[in-house]
Amino acid sequence: MARTFPLERVRNIGIIAHIDAGKTTITERVLYYTGRTYKLGEVDEGTAVMDWMEQERERGITITAAATTCYWQEHRINIIDTPGHVDFTAEVERSLRVLDGGIVVLDAVAGVEAQSETVWRQADRYGVPRICFVNKMDRVGADFHRTVEMIGERLGANAIPIQVPLGVEASFEGVIDLVEEKALVFSEDPDVAPEEKGIPGDYEELCHRHREAMIERLAESDEQMMHLYLEGGPIPISEIKEALRRATIANRVVPVLCGSALRNKGIQPLLDAVVVYLPSPQGVPAVRGIDPKSGREVSRPPSDEAPFCALAFKAVPDPFVGRLVYFRVYSGKVEAGAQVYNPRRERRERLGRLLRMHANRREEVGRVETGDIAATLGLKNTLTGDTLCNPHVPIILEPIRFPQPVISVAIEPRTKADQDRLSDALTKLAEEDPTFVRRYDEETGQTIISGMGELHLEVIVERMLREFRVEANVGRPQVAYKETITVPVKAEGRFIRQTGGRGQYGHVWIELYPGQRGSGFEFVNRIQGGTIPKEYIPGVESGIREAMEGGLVAGYPLVDMRAVLYDGSFHEVDSSEVAFKVAGSMALKQGARRARPVLLEPMMKMEVVTPEDFLGDILGDLNSRRAQITSVDTTGATKIIRCLVPLAETFGYATDLRSISQGRATYSMEFYRYHELPLPLAEQLIAKVRGVV
């Protein structure tokens, strides 16, 4: 059966940026100009189609990534609009994992901001080709050329402007296309088509200079363009576009465009650039994975004829239709009702209805094909990061990696009925959001929920109240401290219990080694000669992992450590996996106590933007919060302070900064890494946890 839409004319793109750069406004304009909507949605008015959650409309920010599909110049564009706030970075992570291209939106006044760097690194990790759109060119202080320089300096990208702005700030009226050498003038009325003009006389020299620089830098990045450039003749526009496309897809250059989404300027050329310069699913390398039977690496080409292979990147509870699983098809095709295999869970599942999403609205389709981004109902055992594939040709794709939560609050249901609903709500929310973690504290009898920041947990609690009707008391936010070891040790775990019948016998020797920050936990089996039968080895690892959860110094989880199982003994009759699990736990506790355990606290990378008048007071306040100042830069009359600050010292900072700067300074921060807590503060924390005054 023929494809419903040619694969070479499909584009899967994400719109990514720092908070408040204008991502959702751009998406709303794209939907309007492509005929997907018939009324412009506005974020400030709470009418944006893509911000469909109540909390998104109330707060004026994007919280959850929303998917939609539109058509432009006979191309199908699947778009995911992602959040900009650092607390919802998991939404960006999983979106970039399944996309073929990205539009990075930058504020023409602020330039490259802290979260812009974060999303850029995420896109680098997945090798996603990008184009940049410098937004808000109509605002006072907008500077296109400075923003392009910042892309090179702070993001390390080979940024090539393919447009320059026509006018600046209040006089901004359009763009000059350097590739086709023409000016486009836009009306603020979205229904008036842009007017094509020749390049104004006072812009000719500037445009000539920038066009020459564009071709030179393109020649350095593309061999075919280099040959044309060295021949010295005029280079056809089609050749420039082809070279730009090749270099962009290879991540050697980043084309830069500009406009003002709120004023409806520059959106149509941006859509043209998506179609011309960003890849189709055929233009990116074949997806690679592991054959679960042989353990060998295998690949799946982007073709409908290849075996079906897809990655589930999001699972959400839907109050109307049940549990929705979003997935990206990398190869093959599948119809509604077909049976698929989840090799990570070793389960076969049957696809229910297949849906093409438009924010929270659904359009049912009969089948999905290579390159499609869709959602389905009926998958009970599939979670974020799981692979769906042909049961006869299995493959496991690399899962999505998410950051660890850094902040926690205690939560208690108000009534017995709330207690039952709370458990159900937390289970569904944890399935949807991999950076949201919950655990039960045996000592206090409280449920502890952890997330990426105060706003993240605030939204979770609000959703529990509104969507799941759970009334609960919520404690104050607490920092999610960790523990680790600092010296290597050897330790023995011996569990022997003799009762009237069969006893229990487990005996292990392990070596513990400190790991690098962020390395997590690694278990290594070096048992030789069958001193411990292989069926008991998973029990040892399980026991060690469980013991790590409880910590040693102050009850916080142990992290960044390697455990090597190298010796032990067993009993023919009395040994069991449970006995070796207990022995592993005993060895970990005994060894870690002698390995000089320390407490770790989360450090945040913070950026404060302030008028120069308040610089001294803000620096003084940051120093009192144990901040490490890394740089202070100047942009016009504005100072940008970059620093590392412990998360514990940032609670209430928004209010304090507003007070110090008369409301004129702003800040943003993101998780950096865990760092050793100074000894005096560690002693205070331990005493507090243990109830010692």
Side-chain angles (χ1 to χ4, degrees):
M1 192 185 295
R3 277 185 64 90
T4 52
F5 201 87
L7 187 58
E8 65 274 10
R9 296 214 299 268
V10 172
R11 299 289 183 271
N12 292 319
I13 64 162
I15 300 185
I16 54 178
H18 185 92
I19 191 169
D20 204 29
K23 296 179 300 303
T24 302
T25 304
I26 288 172
T27 311
E28 294 297 322
R29 268 52 184 178
V30 165
L31 295 179
Y32 185 81
Y33 287 122
T34 57
R36 196 72 172 81
T37 57
Y38 299 96
K39 181 172 180 280
L40 283 173
E42 301 293 353
V43 175
D44 294 344
E45 295 170 12
T47 57
V49 173
M50 302 302 281
D51 284 351
W52 57 271
M53 288 173 64
E54 281 181 61
Q55 292 97 320
E56 291 179 315
R57 293 186 167 178
E58 287 170 7
R59 296 170 186 270
I61 62 169
T62 302
I63 291 170
T64 182
T68 189
T69 301
C70 58
Y71 295 86
W72 182 257
Q73 292 185 358
E74 299 181 343
H75 285 70
R76 178 197 284 166
I77 304 176
N78 297 319
I79 301 173
I80 297 183
D81 175 32
T82 64
H85 198 286
V86 66
D87 283 15
F88 309 106
T89 189
E91 293 288 327
V92 184
E93 190 79 30
R94 59 177 156 203
S95 300
L96 285 171
R97 174 68 175 81
V98 298
L99 293 170
D100 302 321
I103 300 172
V104 180
V105 184
L106 300 167
D107 185 322
V109 180
V112 176
E113 298 170 89
Q115 188 65 7
S116 308
E117 293 184 60
T118 303
V119 297
W120 194 272
R121 284 197 302 273
Q122 288 172 308
D124 278 343
R125 193 178 309 133
Y126 296 116
V128 177
R130 279 143 279 176
I131 57 179
C132 286
F133 184 76
V134 180
N135 193 24
K136 305 187 180 183
M137 285 302 306
D138 58 315
R139 285 183 57 201
V140 175
D143 191 329
F144 175 75
H145 301 292
R146 177 176 57 82
T147 304
V148 172
E149 283 175 22
M150 289 178 78
I151 295 170
E153 290 167 9
R154 294 190 60 177
L155 304 177
N158 185 12
I160 298 183
I162 60 171
Q163 293 178 350
V164 290
L166 186 60
V168 66
E169 298 180 352
S171 65
F172 176 70
E173 57 177 344
V175 299
I176 297 172
D177 186 327
L178 297 175
V179 178
E180 298 193 5
E181 296 184 282
K182 64 182 181 184
L184 290 169
V185 178
F186 298 89
S187 164
E188 290 200 17
D189 183 343
D191 297 320
V192 175
E195 183 187 349
E196 279 192 28
K197 290 183 175 179
I199 297 173
D202 51 343
Y203 277 86
E204 281 182 358
E205 187 195 340
L206 173 79
C207 291
H208 177 73
R209 194 169 69 246
H210 277 287
R211 193 172 195 271
E212 285 298 308
M214 175 187 75
I215 292 170
E216 272 181 39
R217 290 176 65 185
L218 199 49
E220 291 168 8
S221 305
D222 184 80
E223 204 171 314
Q224 286 175 245
M225 179 57 97
M226 176 63 82
H227 291 311
L228 291 169
Y229 180 69
L230 292 175
E231 285 171 8
I235 300 172
I237 289 171
S238 61
E239 292 288 352
I240 296 174
K241 287 185 175 181
E242 279 300 314
L244 265 170
R245 178 178 173 79
R246 286 192 299 270
T248 302
I249 292 173
N251 274 315
R252 291 194 294 266
V253 306
V254 179
V256 186
L257 300 90
C258 61
S260 170
L262 192 64
R263 303 282 173 245
N264 309 310
K265 295 176 180 177
I267 302 301
Q268 295 97 322
L270 176 63
L271 282 165
D272 292 341
V274 166
V275 164
V276 175
Y277 303 124
L278 291 180
S280 73
Q282 287 180 323
V284 295
V287 68
R288 309 189 76 80
I290 301 294
D291 182 335
K293 293 176 181 174
S294 66
R296 290 200 306 269
E297 187 176 78
V298 290
S299 64
R300 293 282 185 272
S303 163
D304 287 343
E305 309 312 314
F308 174 69
C309 163
L311 183 76
F313 65 95
K314 189 172 181 178
V316 294
D318 188 291
F320 303 108
V321 295
R323 188 168 179 270
L324 271 176
V325 175
Y326 288 74
F327 62 96
R328 153 76 193 263
V329 182
Y330 284 100
S331 65
K333 52 183 180 284
V334 71
E335 295 186 354
Q339 192 177 73
V340 294
Y341 180 57
N342 181 340
R344 197 174 299 282
R345 314 283 165 196
E346 297 183 347
R347 294 283 189 89
R348 290 188 181 225
E349 299 221 66
R350 192 169 294 283
L351 294 173
R353 291 158 58 200
L354 294 173
L355 308 166
R356 185 163 284 130
M357 302 301 293
H358 178 50
N360 63 332
R361 296 204 289 277
R362 297 166 288 275
E363 173 192 328
E364 194 161 345
V365 293
R367 67 170 176 166
V368 288
E369 304 158 324
T370 301
D372 281 352
I373 291 175
T376 185
L377 299 164
L379 300 181
K380 295 183 176 64
N381 301 301
T382 299
L383 301 177
T384 298
D386 285 356
T387 304
L388 299 172
C389 61
N390 184 316
H392 306 294
V393 196
I395 182 174
I396 299 179
L397 302 179
E398 183 187 350
I400 308 167
R401 289 186 171 82
F402 295 103
Q404 290 293 311
V406 295
I407 191 169
S408 304
V409 297
I411 186 164
E412 293 175 331
R414 290 186 184 169
T415 66
K416 181 72 175 73
D418 284 322
Q419 189 166 358
D420 297 333
R421 286 200 295 269
L422 176 67
S423 177
D424 179 53
L426 293 180
T427 300
K428 287 180 176 174
L429 289 167
E431 273 187 19
E432 177 182 345
D433 184 351
T435 57
F436 170 64
V437 177
R438 50 95 182 245
R439 67 181 174 85
Y440 183 72
D441 191 316
E442 297 282 355
E443 290 184 15
T444 62
Q446 293 175 314
T447 298
I448 310 296
I449 59 173
S450 305
M452 298 304 297
E454 289 180 85
L455 180 60
H456 186 198
L457 292 181
E458 208 176 292
V459 168
I460 291 279
V461 170
E462 270 186 32
R463 288 188 63 191
M464 279 174 17
L465 178 66
R466 294 182 185 188
E467 291 176 34
F468 300 96
R469 305 281 183 245
V470 177
E471 294 282 349
N473 298 318
V474 182
R476 293 186 63 191
Q478 302 290 325
V479 175
Y481 293 98
K482 307 274 188 195
E483 299 178 14
T484 194
I485 61 173
T486 55
V487 296
V489 293
K490 292 183 178 181
E492 180 186 25
R494 187 189 292 269
F495 178 62
I496 303 173
R497 180 164 294 169
Q498 204 62 47
T499 54
R502 180 179 168 179
Q504 294 283 0
Y505 184 96
H507 174 220
V508 299
W509 276 97
I510 62 172
E511 292 174 326
L512 300 177
Y513 297 94
Q516 292 185 326
R517 293 289 169 266
S519 61
F521 172 66
E522 181 188 5
F523 177 78
V524 181
N525 174 24
R526 289 213 183 122
I527 291 294
Q528 293 179 341
T531 50
I532 298 176
K534 62 182 180 182
E535 62 264 27
Y536 299 146
I537 304 297
V540 179
E541 181 179 358
S542 176
I544 291 172
R545 286 185 181 275
E546 274 190 25
M548 288 173 64
E549 285 301 309
L552 294 165
V553 181
Y556 296 109
L558 267 166
V559 295
D560 301 342
M561 187 177 75
R562 183 159 63 105
V564 179
L565 173 64
Y566 70 94
D567 201 2
S569 61
F570 73 102
H571 189 279
E572 291 284 357
V573 177
D574 292 349
S575 284
S576 66
E577 189 173 346
V578 171
F580 275 95
K581 182 177 178 180
V582 177
S585 174
M586 291 168 69
L588 184 279
K589 288 176 181 174
Q590 189 246 104
R593 283 193 186 95
R594 294 186 287 107
R596 295 186 200 158
V598 294
L599 283 172
L600 301 174
E601 64 175 342
M603 297 290 286
M604 310 301 285
K605 188 188 284 186
M606 182 184 280
E607 188 175 280
V608 184
V609 180
T610 176
E612 194 168 352
D613 301 355
F614 310 107
L615 179 65
D617 291 341
I618 289 172
L619 286 173
D621 180 67
L622 287 171
N623 286 326
S624 73
R625 296 173 186 268
R626 297 191 287 129
Q628 303 165 26
I629 309 297
T630 53
S631 70
V632 180
D633 298 330
T634 304
T635 305
T638 302
K639 294 288 184 181
I640 302 169
I641 306 163
R642 296 188 184 90
C643 62
L644 301 176
V645 60
L647 176 64
E649 304 290 347
T650 64
F651 295 144
Y653 185 63
T655 305
D656 292 346
L657 181 66
R658 208 174 294 128
S659 172
I660 293 169
S661 66
Q662 299 170 16
R664 293 172 64 195
T666 60
Y667 83 101
S668 60
M669 66 179 184
E670 60 172 308
F671 174 68
Y672 176 57
R673 68 173 187 180
Y674 272 89
H675 192 272
E676 191 172 328
L677 185 65
L679 187 59
L681 294 172
E683 288 172 348
Q684 286 178 27
L685 181 62
I686 293 165
K688 183 180 174 185
V689 169
R690 292 177 178 170
V692 180
V693 180

